[in-house]
Amino acid sequence: MKAFEANFDGLVGPTHNYAGLSFGNVASEKSQASVSNPRLAAKQGLAKMKALHDRGFVQGVLAPQERPDVHTLRRLGFSGSDAQVLHHAARQAPRILEACCSASSMWTANAATVSPSADALDGRVHFTPANLTNKFHRSIEHATTGRILAATFPGDRHFKHHPALPGIEHFGDEGAANHTRFCGHYGEPGVGFFVYGRHAFDLSQPRPGRFPARQTLEASQAIARAHRLDSARVVFAQQNPAVIDAGVFHNDVIAVGNRNLLLCHEQAYLEQARVKRDLQRAFDGEPLHIVEVSSAQLSVSEAVGSYLFNSQLLSLDDDHMLMVVPEECRENPRVWSLLQAILAEDNPISEIEVFDLKQSMSNGGGPACLRLRVVLNEAELAATNPATLMSDALFARLNRWIDTHYRDRLAPKDLADPQLLYESRTALSELTEILALGPIYPFQRQGG
């Protein structure tokens, strides 16, 4: 049965703002307190989805979270009406309020880890929402994420939905941003490549000293077990602690892979030569292209600044791939020259397409952050919620929805405005109807 790699991008939420909440994410910290444009951010992401759909790729949409998250604020002791909760939080704990207004669910590479049915022993597509324990503003996402995924990929005949791992640091899980799958063809058994930053139970092992290592080996191992993957076709690799300390908070900031190609920096992993051997061995004799970028070609700081590796690799056919990069890559002469050299080399990358994603990039998320890859065969694609799949009609309807409900300017002081909460809830109520998701948000489920 033919299989496809579908990309499900996150819609940017109405509270997109620059609060600088992500320690270790250089771009996020630099943009703190800047004025954002939620309408433009949503349209930039939507334009990328539509452009890839128009090129024939299977493209889906994942809904944003409910923000401000009044439910979480109430759990933290704030009380009264919704407006009073926001007022008290703004006065007593403004950073907590900022965290509860984050639109970070737009980066759906962190939504979950996904294993296709061709890799799982039970022949189903497996989803585990990421617990994202390292950052409070992201750790509150996974319950709603699980409901969104279950409404997008409904039923248990084709899909298996797992709960998030225990929400403690020992099992810190950042989702597909630290997971890549290699294969010959999408419908064939592949190799699960799990990248972690530290060992949780063995403190003698290397770890970064400046910035946190968000993914643990133990979390990656737990997901591989839960997804019923063949251990002979799973590779675990540790990120280089030095590059984490340079701002590489996820693997997808220093490497990108698709099918039979891995593009990475030469400093991406500890014992990188061994990692490459392990991948070749697990790939079972088929040719695996590994393109390494040297430090002489591009420093780690240049890679972080341009988000070269936070790109998408999309298969055009069996032998050629499209590389989707942010505008920042074209604006950097060294990076753009390197991309032309990669194009000229003997590897599957045959075309580069550039997108303006500056609203997302200013918060530390490029093209790869915005999408969750889901390999589906024809039966699984037919079982997917059709209202979430991009089309000309859906694109037009979502553009009108954004124009109707989104602000074009949002400053930090606006987060305490009760009107923003009411605007967001009105928008999300309509979105659940557009995408046929049902009552996925706390305010819908609790009658708020």
Side-chain angles (χ1 to χ4, degrees):
M1 189 179 297
K2 188 176 181 181
F4 316 83
E5 183 185 74
N7 286 271
F8 280 78
D9 283 37
L11 271 174
V12 178
T15 62
H16 164 66
N17 70 93
Y18 299 127
L21 298 170
S22 190
F23 179 64
N25 182 328
V26 176
S28 173
E29 294 181 295
K30 283 183 177 179
S31 297
Q32 184 174 352
S34 299
V35 174
S36 65
N37 187 332
R39 184 182 300 166
L40 179 59
K43 284 181 171 286
Q44 286 177 344
L46 188 60
K48 178 173 82 76
M49 296 185 229
K50 181 59 161 55
L52 296 180
H53 161 76
D54 288 346
R55 295 204 54 166
F57 298 106
V58 181
Q59 178 68 57
V61 178
L62 291 180
Q65 303 267 325
E66 176 191 342
R67 297 292 181 269
D69 187 350
V70 176
H71 172 70
T72 293
L73 290 172
R74 290 186 184 280
R75 290 179 61 201
L76 296 176
F78 299 102
S79 60
S81 67
D82 289 343
Q84 289 172 326
V85 166
L86 295 176
H87 174 73
H88 295 321
R91 289 187 60 191
Q92 299 172 32
R95 288 298 279 172
I96 292 177
L97 174 61
E98 289 174 345
C100 289
C101 291
S102 173
S104 55
S105 67
M106 63 198 280
W107 298 305
T108 53
N110 300 123
T113 303
V114 185
S115 296
S117 57
D119 296 356
L121 295 179
D122 65 353
R124 291 188 289 177
V125 184
H126 286 247
F127 299 84
T128 297
N131 60 29
L132 300 165
T133 58
N134 188 257
K135 297 288 179 287
F136 168 67
H137 70 285
R138 302 225 60 182
S139 70
I140 60 178
E141 293 177 8
H142 65 82
T144 298
T145 297
R147 292 192 292 269
I148 292 171
L149 290 172
T152 305
F153 305 98
D156 58 7
R157 178 181 177 186
H158 298 289
F159 308 116
K160 173 64 176 177
H161 293 277
H162 300 269
L165 296 180
I168 56 174
E169 64 171 355
H170 292 74
F171 295 99
D173 171 32
E174 299 284 312
N178 287 324
H179 174 257
T180 305
R181 178 179 185 258
F182 299 102
C183 60
H185 293 91
Y186 290 124
E188 300 172 350
V191 174
F193 184 46
F194 291 83
V195 179
Y196 62 95
R198 64 184 174 91
H199 295 246
F201 289 91
D202 186 352
L203 301 184
S204 69
Q205 296 297 321
R207 62 181 55 210
R210 180 187 179 196
F211 291 141
R214 304 184 187 186
Q215 183 89 24
T216 67
L217 169 63
E218 292 81 356
S220 297
Q221 291 172 329
I223 291 171
R225 287 192 295 268
H227 289 198
R228 303 190 65 183
L229 302 182
D230 180 354
S231 60
R233 301 186 71 86
V234 172
V235 173
F236 299 100
Q238 184 170 1
Q239 271 190 283
N240 182 348
V243 301
I244 295 178
D245 280 338
V248 180
F249 52 96
H250 290 139
N251 179 61
D252 67 4
V253 181
I254 202 69
V256 58
N258 176 51
R259 285 184 55 184
N260 63 344
L261 172 65
L262 170 64
L263 172 65
C264 65
H265 196 277
E266 67 174 356
Q267 296 185 48
Y269 308 110
L270 277 183
E271 301 181 34
Q272 191 143 312
R274 180 189 59 77
V275 171
K276 292 190 292 183
R277 289 195 300 271
D278 289 348
L279 284 172
Q280 293 281 7
R281 186 181 305 113
F283 212 57
D284 200 22
E286 297 183 43
L288 176 64
H289 299 272
I290 299 179
V291 179
E292 278 185 319
V293 174
S294 70
S295 297
Q297 291 174 297
L298 197 72
S299 68
V300 171
S301 62
E302 287 175 309
V304 172
S306 65
Y307 267 38
L308 166 67
F309 296 100
N310 196 250
S311 54
Q312 292 177 254
L313 291 174
L314 303 169
S315 290
L316 296 166
D317 55 39
D318 284 350
D319 302 312
H320 302 93
M321 295 185 194
L322 168 69
M323 186 172 180
V324 172
V325 301
E327 180 67 41
E328 283 74 4
C329 287
R330 185 159 55 190
E331 293 172 351
N332 184 318
R334 277 173 54 81
V335 173
W336 193 245
S337 176
L338 173 60
L339 282 170
Q340 304 315 304
I342 291 173
L343 272 178
E345 293 174 357
D346 182 20
N347 65 68
I349 300 174
S350 61
E351 187 180 345
I352 293 172
E353 188 160 353
V354 180
F355 286 92
D356 179 2
L357 299 167
K358 283 185 170 55
Q359 285 288 312
S360 176
M361 286 286 290
S362 294
N363 238 346
C369 289
L370 286 163
R371 62 91 179 95
L372 180 68
R373 294 182 287 184
V374 184
V375 170
L376 302 166
N377 62 34
E378 292 171 313
E380 293 155 356
L381 182 60
T384 299
N385 178 350
T388 64
L389 297 175
M390 183 54 63
S391 65
D392 293 350
L394 180 59
F395 177 72
R397 192 172 182 187
L398 288 176
N399 263 303
R400 290 194 299 270
W401 174 77
I402 292 167
D403 287 333
T404 300
H405 297 289
Y406 278 54
R407 300 185 182 189
D408 60 8
R409 187 182 188 279
L410 195 65
K413 64 180 178 61
D414 298 325
L415 300 178
D417 179 6
Q419 186 59 37
L420 178 64
L421 171 65
Y422 306 144
E423 291 170 7
S424 298
R425 286 181 171 176
T426 300
L428 296 179
S429 291
E430 184 177 332
L431 183 65
T432 56
E433 295 179 6
I434 294 172
L435 299 180
L437 298 174
I440 58 172
Y441 296 114
F443 77 92
Q444 294 174 317
R445 297 166 67 86
Q446 297 168 4

